[in-house]
Amino acid sequence: MEANYPLFQIIDKNGEVTNKDYRDLLTVEQARSYYYHMLRIRTYDHKGIALQRQGRIGTYVPFEGQEASQVGSALALEDDDWLFPTYRDHGATLTFGADLDRLLLHWNGRIEGCVPSLTKNIFPASIPIATHLPHATGAAMAETYKGTKNAAIAYFGDGATSEGDFHEGLNMASVFKAPVVFFNQNNGFAISLPIKKQMNSETIAQKAEAYGIPGVRVDGMDVFAVNFVVKEALDRARNGDGPTLIEAVTWRFGAHTTADDPSKYRDQAASDATRTDKDPVLRLEKFMKNEDMWDDAWLETIKNDIKEELDQAIIDMESYENANSDVMFDYVFETPTWTIDEQKKSLNALKGGQS
Ligand SMILES: Cc1ncc(C[n+]2csc(CCOP(=O)(O)OP(=O)(O)O)c2C)c(N)n1
């Protein structure tokens, strides 16, 4: 089956162009834009972990290693498209236009961070695995009924393909030719469960066959390749040709969340080796240097811009008062159930009676 779904790649780990058909389409503007966005979200990601370790935000979900998948796909979208992320896809939402301040407030446990974007069609991150796939199908179908050319993209991991919602989302999208792209980031693990224990399928892309839709396997460390396949899938969707399942083969360099220790369930030394061997940011840098597109002064400028933007967003986040944990309980039901009342009381007791 793997042979039926070859890995689509344009540049390899040395930054060499392996797919000559695309050679002339790789411009310096594109390369710089991809590099800027990948560096921006990586800087943010590192900061997220540091802020959690310093006790300045709550549990954080890192995505380092998955930058090419998230940036390549998000930059393929048009302004009015819909993005349905998981808890790990804030790199994609930031790139698409999510508000940085709001994202930080989200990790800080503030209700303001949970308000959907006012400028872009970005759904709140789905914590339940795969439940947003039928929602993405529904949003895409609604766009068709409204007569627009807008499409939707749903992000999810390898583990999500074991859920019933994966089946429902894809089957419904196929039957109704919904303009939706199912964008899977196969990072090899669902928390501690390796993909070999998750499924007997050789690839995730082949699962498309069950729904009679195209399945594409792409090198998720190659930002150019990801961008081209997602654009193609979005074009198909807009043209009324229905959904596509894309499997971006990638790797999560760090932990599942800041509450996880991956060395307990995977060979951490081998994983760390991927940081030099597979790193999507380094790969693009090598390509740009090979092609004479690199400029140290430009790098300094974007590094400074990113730092300034992030520093300011952190100051803004920390200018809010501490989050009031009562809001977690107060807005679940109009009249709280006794279980919710008890949970609220016990948390406040733990906090020494402060709210
Ligand atoms: C319906 C549901 N079941 C279980 C969980 C607990 N859970 C949180 S993350 C996760 C692993 C998901 O793995 P994958 O879909 O591969 O995405 P990744 O975290 O690797 O990005 C699980 C099982 C959940 N959030 N929702």
Side-chain angles (χ1 to χ4, degrees), residues 74 77-85 92-94 96-99 115-125 135-136 139-140 142-143 146 148-155 238:
L77 294 167
E78 296 291 336
D79 273 352
D80 290 329
D81 287 339
W82 290 84
L83 196 164
F84 289 77
T93 60
L94 267 180
F96 187 42
D99 189 63
V115 178
S117 167
L118 297 174
T119 46
K120 287 286 171 76
N121 296 326
I122 301 173
F123 251 58
H135 301 166
E143 290 294 349
K146 286 193 283 186
T148 76
K149 287 279 181 197
N150 302 330
I153 186 167
Y155 289 75
R238 290 185 218 289

Side-chain angles (χ1 to χ4, degrees), residues 33-327:
S33 161
Y34 294 156
Y35 194 90
Y36 163 75
H37 283 289
M38 290 204 287
L39 189 67
R40 178 173 180 251
I41 65 170
R42 176 164 290 185
T43 310
Y44 159 86
D45 196 51
H46 287 176
K47 202 63 163 181
I49 295 170
L51 289 172
Q52 189 278 335
R53 294 293 187 244
Q54 293 161 11
R56 291 159 75 187
I57 58 171
T59 305
Y60 176 78
V61 184
F63 52 73
E64 194 181 18
Q66 302 186 201
E67 292 90 345
S69 296
Q70 298 202 11
V71 166
S73 53
L75 290 182
L77 294 167
E78 296 291 336
D79 273 352
D80 290 329
D81 287 339
W82 290 84
L83 196 164
F84 289 77
T86 72
Y87 46 79
R88 201 182 304 289
D89 301 312
H90 32 293
T93 60
L94 267 180
T95 305
F96 187 42
D99 189 63
L100 181 58
D101 290 16
R102 285 251 180 99
L103 257 176
L104 287 171
L105 287 169
H106 169 83
W107 298 115
N108 199 23
R110 292 207 60 98
I111 199 114
E112 293 84 348
C114 300
V115 178
S117 167
L118 297 174
T119 46
K120 287 286 171 76
N121 296 326
I122 301 173
F123 251 58
S126 181
I127 310 291
I129 306 300
T131 53
H132 55 308
L133 271 61
H135 301 166
T137 298
M141 286 170 66
E143 290 294 349
T144 307
Y145 292 139
K146 286 193 283 186
T148 76
K149 287 279 181 197
N150 302 330
I153 186 167
Y155 289 75
F156 55 100
D158 35 289
T161 67
S162 300
E163 292 281 354
D165 282 317
F166 169 79
H167 165 73
E168 289 160 22
L170 268 74
N171 190 57
M172 180 108 169
S174 164
V175 169
F176 290 96
K177 283 203 167 205
V180 53
V181 176
F182 295 104
F183 187 71
N184 170 258
Q185 288 169 89
N186 175 1
N187 65 14
F189 278 86
I191 314 185
S192 55
L193 193 77
I195 193 161
K196 287 239 168 319
K197 290 189 181 170
Q198 181 81 242
M199 62 191 72
N200 287 326
S201 320
E202 281 176 35
T203 69
I204 287 172
Q206 75 196 58
K207 298 186 185 206
E209 278 189 29
Y211 306 100
I213 63 173
V216 181
R217 207 157 181 256
V218 63
D219 183 341
M221 300 302 203
D222 174 352
V223 65
F224 282 110
V226 171
N227 186 259
F228 278 112
V229 299
V230 175
K231 259 202 190 118
E232 247 173 49
L234 286 166
D235 283 349
R236 253 197 310 278
R238 290 185 218 289
N239 290 336
D241 295 329
T244 303
L245 171 62
I246 295 174
E247 173 187 2
V249 181
T250 181
W251 192 253
R252 134 166 89 71
F253 289 167
H256 172 72
T257 69
T258 48
D260 171 52
D261 174 3
S263 68
K264 298 274 188 252
Y265 56 80
R266 69 180 189 187
D267 179 343
Q268 201 46 38
S271 177
D272 285 344
T274 61
R275 285 178 180 273
T276 40
D277 204 31
K278 289 197 167 150
D279 183 10
V281 181
L282 198 58
R283 184 185 300 201
L284 184 59
E285 182 178 328
K286 286 181 183 164
F287 164 80
M288 290 173 78
K289 285 182 173 161
N290 290 345
E291 302 291 317
D292 227 5
M293 294 178 178
W294 191 257
D295 176 352
D296 285 336
W298 162 78
L299 178 66
E300 274 317 298
T301 310
I302 60 167
K303 267 189 182 167
N304 287 337
D305 290 351
I306 290 168
K307 184 177 178 316
E308 231 172 76
E309 181 196 15
L310 199 50
D311 286 350
Q312 187 57 51
I314 293 169
I315 291 171
D316 293 348
M317 169 190 76
E318 294 192 324
S319 69
Y320 280 73
E321 293 166 24
N322 281 344
N324 173 3
S325 57
D326 285 353
V327 297

